[in-house]
Amino acid sequence: MNCDGVIRELSNYLDGELEPAVQKELERHLADCGECALIVDQTKKTVQIFCDSEPVELPAEVRSRLRQALRRKLGPSSA
Ligand SMILES: [Zn+2]
C-alpha cells in the first residue's frame, strides 16, 4: 500500500471496517512512513472530537487537509 492508498482507506480504517489483510498492509505502511502515521494520528484525534462514539465519514475539510499534506510530500504531479 502507498500513501494514497492509506488516505483512501483512512476512514474505513478508523471505523474498523477494513478487511484484516488490508488493515495489516495499512499498518505496515504506517510503520515505515512517519508522515502517514502522523496523518492517521491527527485524523484519529479530529474524528474523535467530531464524534465520540459513532462511526463517521471524514469531514470534507479533513480530507482536503490530508490531500494537501500528501501533495506537499509527493509533489504537485500526484495526489
Ligand atoms: Zn505514507
Side-chain angles (χ1 to χ4, degrees):
M1 185 176 290
N2 58 21
C3 295
D4 202 44
V6 170
I7 299 304
R8 230 184 357 253
E9 303 294 349
L10 188 52
S11 68
N12 287 334
Y13 174 64
L14 295 178
D15 287 347
E17 287 174 356
L18 281 185
E19 301 273 330
V22 178
Q23 179 170 334
K24 212 165 267 174
E25 249 195 84
L26 192 149
E27 284 171 346
R28 192 142 25 96
H29 179 88
L30 294 185
D32 285 342
C33 180
E35 190 126 357
C36 281
L38 193 71
I39 287 172
V40 169
D41 192 54
Q42 285 175 345
T43 306
K44 215 182 271 183
K45 285 177 188 145
T46 307
V47 170
Q48 276 162 2
I49 291 166
F50 263 91
C51 185
D52 284 342
S53 53
E54 287 174 43
V56 66
E57 187 72 9
L58 281 186
E61 190 210 318
V62 173
R63 270 185 202 277
S64 72
R65 199 141 31 96
L66 293 176
R67 291 235 160 254
Q68 278 167 18
L70 266 188
R71 220 168 290 154
R72 270 201 305 275
K73 180 184 176 182
L74 301 175
S77 59
S78 41

